[in-house]
Amino acid sequence: MTAQPSLMWFRQDLRLRDNPALTAAATSGPILPVYILDDTNSAPWQLGAASRWWLHHSLSALDKQLENRLMVLQGDPLEIIPALAAKFGIRKIFWNRCYEPWRSKRDIRLKRALKETGLSVTSSNASLLVEPWLNLKDDGTPYKVFTPFYRRAMSKGIDLASVLSAASNPKLIPADLPADKLDALGLLSEVNWHSSFFESFTPGEAGADKKLACFLENGISNYKQGRDFPGLESVSRLSPHIHFGEIAPHRIYKESLELGELRGIESESDHFGRELIWREFSYSLLHYFPSLTESNMNRSFDGFPWQRDEPLLRAWQTGQTGYPLVDAGMRQLWQTGYMHNRVRMVVGSFLVKNLLQDWREGARWFWDCLLDADLANNTASWQWVAGCGADAAPYFRIFNPISQSEKFKTARYIRQFVPELAQLDDKHIYEPDVAPESKLTAAGVKLDENYPKPIVGLKTSREKALGAYQQLKARNRA
DNA sequence: CCTGGAGTTGTCCTA
DNA sequence: TTAGGACAACTCCAG
């Protein structure tokens, strides 16, 4: 007779190393590893199509690490977990915390219910450098400005030791699992739209480690400047791995800072560390302002005169705005499930300020298309770019997609994702509609035939946006 | 409680 | 060509 098994509930911690819940579960005896697809009650934030693709392959990788013993289920954990406990004679349950408001609410209920039936439940932190309730102002309230949040976190120091550990090698209880258990979740769409995702990403813990190693080897040495240039390989692209918990931010933080010291490039690694803390800031915001996903954080934006327009939104989504950098970004998103951060700001600003479309439309589209779709990051970032969020860009700060193209030398990037413009030289590729006819003809560009003319004028749309903002202010004063 | 200083990522116009 | 200031006040935060 074996010892009583523990249940390890995997969620956004799909890894064996640096996994506090798994470490704790493994030391207490044999374990039953379980994943539950639980997003059915999270409308309107059910997993997007790109996230589903990633999840499928990440679970597949984890399952292999667990000798195909990962139990995969779908439904409401409030029912499933107690049923499993009863069926397998489980007394102890372990998980790592999630922070989406609907999940943490559900987990609190579940924990209470399990404890009432005499089960032991242990939850741990596996995914935040600083959990929201550990980085508050002296008066106990949460930060709304990034820099003080960052300083506070730095001055207190990050607790790395409680998360970092060797890979667990848990003893798994025998289970008879169907071979098609993952396919049964139906995470992969029938349309083969995601085939190119594999070109840039390998979901799973091993893929995450490789991405980090590659970034530390090549990308980080020029991070501070290089991260703004979409044509360079100076960003880590770790975001989807972090979101699904295939790697602990603690490990990323530790290794990048150590390398910075070793190579004397502290400035680069500090800037990278700052970006990791931005994620923490977003989590804190969402935790303390759970309505952030639906409502303007700055309520004075509630009456903003958004100009809902389906054709404009559609042009933005499909990368047919006539602004090459915007179109390149939107097509990168669609084709690869990823978009460079500099370009995210440019396309975000363009949607919200030049097209006057509600930021929630942008957030929704990103949610569906991004492999790294993360409720806290996505929401906080869209509110930031729209000007209604915490520490937001002032409303008059409107990105000019052409200036941005030039400043960050995006010609190569544009050629990659907008092939119909590839033959244009650097001088004309940023603004094809004012290129001489001869250049366009030579490059095979026929405006409004194989590439659109700009769908809005930059100057007029900018003035319109500023006008809308003035209008809003006037209304709020009245 | 008061107060001073500061706040991710920009653009445009003018002198 | 280039550098500096305007753009908008407002809220946040720490001392």
Side-chain angles (χ1 to χ4, degrees), chain A residues 160-214:
Chain A
L160 298 171
S162 64
V163 170
L164 297 179
S165 70
S168 293
N169 188 16
K171 188 163 176 242
L172 305 168
I173 66 166
D176 188 21
L177 301 171
D180 68 343
K181 62 188 177 186
L182 269 184
D183 297 331
L185 293 182
L187 291 168
L188 295 183
S189 105
E190 314 221 323
V191 186
N192 196 23
W193 136 82
H194 44 253
S195 59
S196 58
F197 290 177
F198 275 125
E199 288 168 23
S200 353
F201 292 107
T202 310
E205 189 168 12
D209 288 348
K210 217 168 155 183
K211 265 276 189 301
L212 175 60
C214 179

Short mmCIF file of all heavy atoms in Angstrom, two decimals, chain A residues 160-214:
data_model
loop_
_atom_site.label_atom_id
_atom_site.label_comp_id
_atom_site.label_asym_id
_atom_site.label_seq_id
_atom_site.Cartn_x
_atom_site.Cartn_y
_atom_site.Cartn_z
N LEU A 160 14.01 35.78 -3.81
CA LEU A 160 14.20 34.80 -4.88
C LEU A 160 14.18 33.38 -4.33
O LEU A 160 13.69 32.45 -4.96
CB LEU A 160 15.53 35.05 -5.59
CG LEU A 160 15.68 36.41 -6.28
CD1 LEU A 160 17.11 36.62 -6.76
CD2 LEU A 160 14.70 36.52 -7.45
N ALA A 161 14.71 33.24 -3.11
CA ALA A 161 14.96 31.89 -2.58
C ALA A 161 13.68 31.07 -2.41
O ALA A 161 13.71 29.85 -2.55
CB ALA A 161 15.68 32.00 -1.24
N SER A 162 12.57 31.74 -2.13
CA SER A 162 11.36 30.97 -1.85
C SER A 162 10.79 30.32 -3.12
O SER A 162 9.93 29.45 -3.02
CB SER A 162 10.29 31.86 -1.20
OG SER A 162 9.90 32.87 -2.10
N VAL A 163 11.27 30.75 -4.26
CA VAL A 163 10.76 30.16 -5.50
C VAL A 163 11.82 29.28 -6.20
O VAL A 163 11.50 28.21 -6.71
CB VAL A 163 10.27 31.27 -6.47
CG1 VAL A 163 9.97 30.69 -7.84
CG2 VAL A 163 9.03 31.95 -5.90
N LEU A 164 13.06 29.73 -6.18
CA LEU A 164 14.08 29.00 -6.94
C LEU A 164 14.43 27.68 -6.26
O LEU A 164 14.65 27.62 -5.05
CB LEU A 164 15.34 29.87 -7.09
CG LEU A 164 15.11 31.16 -7.88
CD1 LEU A 164 16.39 31.98 -7.97
CD2 LEU A 164 14.58 30.85 -9.28
N SER A 165 14.46 26.64 -7.05
CA SER A 165 14.81 25.31 -6.52
C SER A 165 15.18 24.40 -7.68
O SER A 165 14.90 24.71 -8.84
CB SER A 165 13.63 24.71 -5.77
OG SER A 165 12.61 24.36 -6.69
N ALA A 166 15.77 23.31 -7.36
CA ALA A 166 16.05 22.32 -8.40
C ALA A 166 14.74 21.75 -8.92
O ALA A 166 13.69 21.89 -8.28
CB ALA A 166 16.92 21.21 -7.83
N ALA A 167 14.81 21.11 -10.07
CA ALA A 167 13.60 20.49 -10.62
C ALA A 167 13.12 19.39 -9.68
O ALA A 167 13.90 18.60 -9.18
CB ALA A 167 13.91 19.91 -11.99
N SER A 168 11.82 19.39 -9.46
CA SER A 168 11.25 18.31 -8.66
C SER A 168 11.22 17.04 -9.50
O SER A 168 11.01 17.09 -10.70
CB SER A 168 9.82 18.67 -8.25
OG SER A 168 9.83 19.74 -7.37
N ASN A 169 11.42 15.96 -8.81
CA ASN A 169 11.30 14.67 -9.48
C ASN A 169 10.25 13.87 -8.73
O ASN A 169 10.56 12.93 -8.01
CB ASN A 169 12.66 13.97 -9.48
CG ASN A 169 12.61 12.72 -10.34
OD1 ASN A 169 11.70 12.56 -11.14
ND2 ASN A 169 13.59 11.85 -10.14
N PRO A 170 8.99 14.26 -8.91
CA PRO A 170 7.96 13.71 -8.04
C PRO A 170 7.68 12.25 -8.36
O PRO A 170 7.82 11.80 -9.48
CB PRO A 170 6.75 14.58 -8.37
CG PRO A 170 6.98 15.06 -9.75
CD PRO A 170 8.45 15.19 -9.91
N LYS A 171 7.28 11.55 -7.33
CA LYS A 171 6.80 10.18 -7.53
C LYS A 171 5.33 10.27 -7.94
O LYS A 171 4.51 10.88 -7.25
CB LYS A 171 6.94 9.42 -6.21
CG LYS A 171 6.67 7.96 -6.32
CD LYS A 171 7.23 7.20 -5.12
CE LYS A 171 6.83 5.74 -5.25
NZ LYS A 171 5.96 5.29 -4.15
N LEU A 172 5.02 9.70 -9.08
CA LEU A 172 3.67 9.86 -9.62
C LEU A 172 2.84 8.61 -9.38
O LEU A 172 3.35 7.50 -9.49
CB LEU A 172 3.75 10.14 -11.12
CG LEU A 172 4.63 11.33 -11.49
CD1 LEU A 172 4.90 11.36 -12.99
CD2 LEU A 172 4.01 12.63 -11.04
N ILE A 173 1.58 8.82 -9.06
CA ILE A 173 0.76 7.61 -8.85
C ILE A 173 0.35 7.07 -10.21
O ILE A 173 0.17 7.81 -11.18
CB ILE A 173 -0.49 7.89 -7.98
CG1 ILE A 173 -1.46 8.84 -8.70
CG2 ILE A 173 -0.09 8.44 -6.64
CD1 ILE A 173 -2.82 8.86 -8.04
N PRO A 174 0.23 5.76 -10.32
CA PRO A 174 -0.16 5.17 -11.59
C PRO A 174 -1.55 5.64 -11.97
O PRO A 174 -2.42 5.79 -11.11
CB PRO A 174 -0.17 3.66 -11.30
CG PRO A 174 0.50 3.49 -9.98
CD PRO A 174 0.36 4.78 -9.24
N ALA A 175 -1.74 5.93 -13.21
CA ALA A 175 -3.07 6.33 -13.66
C ALA A 175 -3.24 5.84 -15.09
O ALA A 175 -2.30 5.82 -15.86
CB ALA A 175 -3.22 7.85 -13.59
N ASP A 176 -4.45 5.48 -15.39
CA ASP A 176 -4.74 4.99 -16.72
C ASP A 176 -5.42 6.11 -17.50
O ASP A 176 -6.60 6.37 -17.33
CB ASP A 176 -5.67 3.76 -16.60
CG ASP A 176 -5.84 3.09 -17.95
OD1 ASP A 176 -4.99 3.32 -18.83
OD2 ASP A 176 -6.85 2.37 -18.13
N LEU A 177 -4.63 6.79 -18.32
CA LEU A 177 -5.14 7.99 -18.97
C LEU A 177 -5.30 7.77 -20.46
O LEU A 177 -4.47 7.12 -21.09
CB LEU A 177 -4.19 9.17 -18.72
CG LEU A 177 -3.97 9.52 -17.24
CD1 LEU A 177 -2.87 10.53 -17.07
CD2 LEU A 177 -5.27 10.02 -16.63
N PRO A 178 -6.35 8.34 -21.04
CA PRO A 178 -6.56 8.18 -22.48
C PRO A 178 -5.46 8.87 -23.28
O PRO A 178 -4.97 9.93 -22.90
CB PRO A 178 -7.92 8.86 -22.72
CG PRO A 178 -8.13 9.74 -21.54
CD PRO A 178 -7.39 9.14 -20.40
N ALA A 179 -5.08 8.27 -24.38
CA ALA A 179 -3.99 8.81 -25.20
C ALA A 179 -4.37 10.15 -25.83
O ALA A 179 -3.51 10.98 -26.10
CB ALA A 179 -3.61 7.81 -26.29
N ASP A 180 -5.67 10.35 -26.05
CA ASP A 180 -6.08 11.60 -26.74
C ASP A 180 -6.56 12.65 -25.74
O ASP A 180 -7.32 13.54 -26.09
CB ASP A 180 -7.19 11.30 -27.74
CG ASP A 180 -8.48 10.89 -27.02
OD1 ASP A 180 -8.41 10.53 -25.82
OD2 ASP A 180 -9.54 10.95 -27.65
N LYS A 181 -6.10 12.54 -24.50
CA LYS A 181 -6.62 13.44 -23.46
C LYS A 181 -6.45 14.92 -23.82
O LYS A 181 -7.31 15.73 -23.54
CB LYS A 181 -5.95 13.13 -22.12
CG LYS A 181 -4.44 13.35 -22.12
CD LYS A 181 -3.78 12.85 -20.85
CE LYS A 181 -2.27 13.04 -20.94
NZ LYS A 181 -1.53 12.48 -19.83
N LEU A 182 -5.33 15.26 -24.45
CA LEU A 182 -5.10 16.67 -24.79
C LEU A 182 -5.97 17.12 -25.95
O LEU A 182 -6.55 18.22 -25.93
CB LEU A 182 -3.63 16.89 -25.15
CG LEU A 182 -2.72 17.29 -24.00
CD1 LEU A 182 -1.32 17.57 -24.52
CD2 LEU A 182 -3.27 18.51 -23.28
N ASP A 183 -6.05 16.29 -26.98
CA ASP A 183 -6.90 16.64 -28.12
C ASP A 183 -8.34 16.85 -27.68
O ASP A 183 -9.05 17.67 -28.23
CB ASP A 183 -6.83 15.54 -29.18
CG ASP A 183 -5.42 15.41 -29.73
OD1 ASP A 183 -4.71 16.42 -29.75
OD2 ASP A 183 -5.03 14.28 -30.11
N ALA A 184 -8.74 16.10 -26.64
CA ALA A 184 -10.11 16.19 -26.18
C ALA A 184 -10.46 17.58 -25.64
O ALA A 184 -11.62 17.96 -25.58
CB ALA A 184 -10.38 15.13 -25.10
N LEU A 185 -9.45 18.35 -25.27
CA LEU A 185 -9.72 19.71 -24.80
C LEU A 185 -10.13 20.63 -25.96
O LEU A 185 -10.70 21.69 -25.74
CB LEU A 185 -8.49 20.31 -24.11
CG LEU A 185 -8.03 19.67 -22.80
CD1 LEU A 185 -6.83 20.44 -22.26
CD2 LEU A 185 -9.16 19.68 -21.77
N GLY A 186 -9.78 20.22 -27.17
CA GLY A 186 -10.16 21.01 -28.33
C GLY A 186 -9.50 22.37 -28.36
O GLY A 186 -10.10 23.37 -28.78
N LEU A 187 -8.25 22.45 -27.93
CA LEU A 187 -7.58 23.75 -27.88
C LEU A 187 -7.12 24.24 -29.25
O LEU A 187 -6.98 25.43 -29.48
CB LEU A 187 -6.38 23.68 -26.92
CG LEU A 187 -6.73 23.53 -25.44
CD1 LEU A 187 -5.49 23.17 -24.63
CD2 LEU A 187 -7.37 24.81 -24.91
N LEU A 188 -6.84 23.30 -30.13
CA LEU A 188 -6.31 23.70 -31.44
C LEU A 188 -7.46 23.98 -32.40
O LEU A 188 -8.41 23.21 -32.48
CB LEU A 188 -5.43 22.58 -32.01
CG LEU A 188 -4.17 22.29 -31.21
CD1 LEU A 188 -3.34 21.23 -31.92
CD2 LEU A 188 -3.34 23.55 -31.02
N SER A 189 -7.36 25.08 -33.10
CA SER A 189 -8.41 25.41 -34.06
C SER A 189 -8.19 24.59 -35.32
O SER A 189 -7.09 24.14 -35.62
CB SER A 189 -8.40 26.91 -34.37
OG SER A 189 -7.86 27.15 -35.64
N GLU A 190 -9.27 24.39 -36.04
CA GLU A 190 -9.18 23.55 -37.24
C GLU A 190 -8.46 24.29 -38.36
O GLU A 190 -7.82 23.69 -39.20
CB GLU A 190 -10.58 23.16 -37.70
CG GLU A 190 -11.41 22.68 -36.52
CD GLU A 190 -12.25 21.47 -36.84
OE1 GLU A 190 -12.77 21.39 -37.97
OE2 GLU A 190 -12.39 20.61 -35.95
N VAL A 191 -8.61 25.62 -38.35
CA VAL A 191 -7.91 26.41 -39.36
C VAL A 191 -6.42 26.39 -39.02
O VAL A 191 -6.03 26.62 -37.89
CB VAL A 191 -8.41 27.88 -39.33
CG1 VAL A 191 -7.79 28.67 -40.47
CG2 VAL A 191 -9.92 27.91 -39.40
N ASN A 192 -5.62 26.14 -40.00
CA ASN A 192 -4.19 25.98 -39.75
C ASN A 192 -3.48 27.33 -39.76
O ASN A 192 -2.43 27.50 -40.35
CB ASN A 192 -3.57 25.05 -40.78
CG ASN A 192 -2.21 24.57 -40.32
OD1 ASN A 192 -1.93 24.58 -39.13
ND2 ASN A 192 -1.37 24.19 -41.25
N TRP A 193 -4.09 28.29 -39.05
CA TRP A 193 -3.60 29.65 -39.07
C TRP A 193 -2.35 29.81 -38.21
O TRP A 193 -1.58 30.75 -38.36
CB TRP A 193 -4.75 30.55 -38.62
CG TRP A 193 -4.44 31.63 -37.65
CD1 TRP A 193 -3.91 32.86 -37.95
CD2 TRP A 193 -4.65 31.61 -36.24
NE1 TRP A 193 -3.79 33.59 -36.81
CE2 TRP A 193 -4.23 32.85 -35.75
CE3 TRP A 193 -5.15 30.67 -35.35
CZ2 TRP A 193 -4.30 33.18 -34.39
CZ3 TRP A 193 -5.22 30.98 -34.01
CH2 TRP A 193 -4.79 32.23 -33.56
N HIS A 194 -2.11 28.83 -37.34
CA HIS A 194 -1.04 28.98 -36.36
C HIS A 194 0.23 28.22 -36.75
O HIS A 194 1.12 28.07 -35.95
CB HIS A 194 -1.54 28.47 -35.01
CG HIS A 194 -2.29 27.18 -35.12
ND1 HIS A 194 -3.65 27.09 -34.97
CD2 HIS A 194 -1.87 25.95 -35.41
CE1 HIS A 194 -4.03 25.84 -35.15
NE2 HIS A 194 -2.96 25.13 -35.42
N SER A 195 0.28 27.74 -37.99
CA SER A 195 1.40 26.87 -38.34
C SER A 195 2.75 27.59 -38.20
O SER A 195 3.75 26.98 -37.88
CB SER A 195 1.24 26.36 -39.77
OG SER A 195 1.19 27.46 -40.65
N SER A 196 2.75 28.92 -38.41
CA SER A 196 4.03 29.63 -38.36
C SER A 196 4.45 30.00 -36.94
O SER A 196 5.53 30.53 -36.73
CB SER A 196 3.97 30.88 -39.23
OG SER A 196 2.93 31.72 -38.79
N PHE A 197 3.59 29.73 -35.96
CA PHE A 197 3.98 30.07 -34.59
C PHE A 197 5.24 29.34 -34.17
O PHE A 197 6.07 29.85 -33.43
CB PHE A 197 2.86 29.72 -33.60
CG PHE A 197 1.63 30.59 -33.71
CD1 PHE A 197 0.52 30.34 -32.93
CD2 PHE A 197 1.59 31.66 -34.60
CE1 PHE A 197 -0.61 31.14 -33.01
CE2 PHE A 197 0.46 32.45 -34.70
CZ PHE A 197 -0.64 32.19 -33.90
N PHE A 198 5.37 28.10 -34.65
CA PHE A 198 6.52 27.28 -34.25
C PHE A 198 7.84 27.87 -34.73
O PHE A 198 8.89 27.53 -34.21
CB PHE A 198 6.38 25.86 -34.81
CG PHE A 198 5.57 24.95 -33.93
CD1 PHE A 198 4.47 24.29 -34.44
CD2 PHE A 198 5.91 24.76 -32.59
CE1 PHE A 198 3.70 23.44 -33.64
CE2 PHE A 198 5.17 23.91 -31.78
CZ PHE A 198 4.06 23.26 -32.31
N GLU A 199 7.76 28.73 -35.75
CA GLU A 199 9.01 29.30 -36.27
C GLU A 199 9.72 30.15 -35.23
O GLU A 199 10.94 30.21 -35.19
CB GLU A 199 8.74 30.13 -37.53
CG GLU A 199 8.40 29.27 -38.72
CD GLU A 199 7.85 30.08 -39.88
OE1 GLU A 199 8.12 31.30 -39.95
OE2 GLU A 199 7.14 29.49 -40.72
N SER A 200 8.95 30.84 -34.38
CA SER A 200 9.62 31.69 -33.39
C SER A 200 9.50 31.18 -31.96
O SER A 200 10.16 31.71 -31.08
CB SER A 200 9.06 33.12 -33.43
OG SER A 200 8.18 33.33 -34.48
N PHE A 201 8.66 30.17 -31.73
CA PHE A 201 8.44 29.78 -30.34
C PHE A 201 8.38 28.26 -30.18
O PHE A 201 7.89 27.56 -31.06
CB PHE A 201 7.12 30.36 -29.82
CG PHE A 201 7.14 31.86 -29.67
CD1 PHE A 201 6.45 32.67 -30.56
CD2 PHE A 201 7.84 32.46 -28.63
CE1 PHE A 201 6.45 34.05 -30.42
CE2 PHE A 201 7.84 33.85 -28.48
CZ PHE A 201 7.15 34.64 -29.38
N THR A 202 8.84 27.80 -29.02
CA THR A 202 8.69 26.40 -28.63
C THR A 202 8.08 26.37 -27.24
O THR A 202 8.79 26.55 -26.24
CB THR A 202 10.06 25.69 -28.59
OG1 THR A 202 10.73 25.94 -29.83
CG2 THR A 202 9.88 24.20 -28.40
N PRO A 203 6.76 26.20 -27.15
CA PRO A 203 6.14 26.17 -25.83
C PRO A 203 6.73 25.06 -24.94
O PRO A 203 7.12 24.02 -25.45
CB PRO A 203 4.66 25.87 -26.14
CG PRO A 203 4.47 26.33 -27.55
CD PRO A 203 5.78 26.06 -28.23
N GLY A 204 6.78 25.34 -23.66
CA GLY A 204 7.28 24.35 -22.71
C GLY A 204 8.52 24.83 -21.98
O GLY A 204 9.17 25.80 -22.38
N GLU A 205 8.82 24.14 -20.91
CA GLU A 205 9.91 24.56 -20.02
C GLU A 205 11.26 24.58 -20.74
O GLU A 205 12.06 25.51 -20.56
CB GLU A 205 9.96 23.61 -18.81
CG GLU A 205 10.92 24.06 -17.73
CD GLU A 205 10.74 23.28 -16.42
OE1 GLU A 205 10.03 22.25 -16.42
OE2 GLU A 205 11.31 23.71 -15.40
N ALA A 206 11.51 23.59 -21.56
CA ALA A 206 12.80 23.54 -22.27
C ALA A 206 12.92 24.71 -23.24
O ALA A 206 13.98 25.35 -23.35
CB ALA A 206 12.93 22.22 -23.01
N GLY A 207 11.82 25.01 -23.93
CA GLY A 207 11.81 26.14 -24.85
C GLY A 207 12.05 27.46 -24.12
O GLY A 207 12.75 28.34 -24.64
N ALA A 208 11.50 27.57 -22.94
CA ALA A 208 11.68 28.79 -22.14
C ALA A 208 13.14 28.95 -21.73
O ALA A 208 13.72 30.04 -21.85
CB ALA A 208 10.79 28.73 -20.90
N ASP A 209 13.75 27.87 -21.28
CA ASP A 209 15.15 27.94 -20.86
C ASP A 209 16.04 28.34 -22.04
O ASP A 209 16.99 29.12 -21.90
CB ASP A 209 15.61 26.58 -20.32
CG ASP A 209 14.99 26.29 -18.95
OD1 ASP A 209 14.42 27.22 -18.36
OD2 ASP A 209 15.09 25.14 -18.49
N LYS A 210 15.70 27.82 -23.19
CA LYS A 210 16.49 28.12 -24.38
C LYS A 210 16.36 29.59 -24.76
O LYS A 210 17.36 30.24 -25.10
CB LYS A 210 15.99 27.23 -25.53
CG LYS A 210 17.10 26.74 -26.44
CD LYS A 210 16.58 25.67 -27.36
CE LYS A 210 17.41 25.60 -28.62
NZ LYS A 210 16.89 24.63 -29.58
N LYS A 211 15.14 30.10 -24.68
CA LYS A 211 14.91 31.52 -25.00
C LYS A 211 15.72 32.41 -24.06
O LYS A 211 16.33 33.39 -24.49
CB LYS A 211 13.43 31.87 -24.86
CG LYS A 211 12.62 31.79 -26.14
CD LYS A 211 12.73 33.06 -26.96
CE LYS A 211 11.75 33.07 -28.13
NZ LYS A 211 11.92 31.98 -29.07
N LEU A 212 15.71 32.07 -22.78
CA LEU A 212 16.45 32.88 -21.81
C LEU A 212 17.95 32.82 -22.11
O LEU A 212 18.62 33.86 -22.15
CB LEU A 212 16.19 32.39 -20.38
CG LEU A 212 17.01 33.11 -19.29
CD1 LEU A 212 16.72 34.60 -19.28
CD2 LEU A 212 16.74 32.51 -17.91
N ALA A 213 18.45 31.63 -22.36
CA ALA A 213 19.88 31.48 -22.65
C ALA A 213 20.26 32.31 -23.88
O ALA A 213 21.29 32.99 -23.90
CB ALA A 213 20.21 30.01 -22.87
N CYS A 214 19.41 32.25 -24.88
CA CYS A 214 19.68 32.98 -26.12
C CYS A 214 19.67 34.49 -25.88
O CYS A 214 20.54 35.21 -26.37
CB CYS A 214 18.62 32.58 -27.13
SG CYS A 214 18.78 33.40 -28.70
#
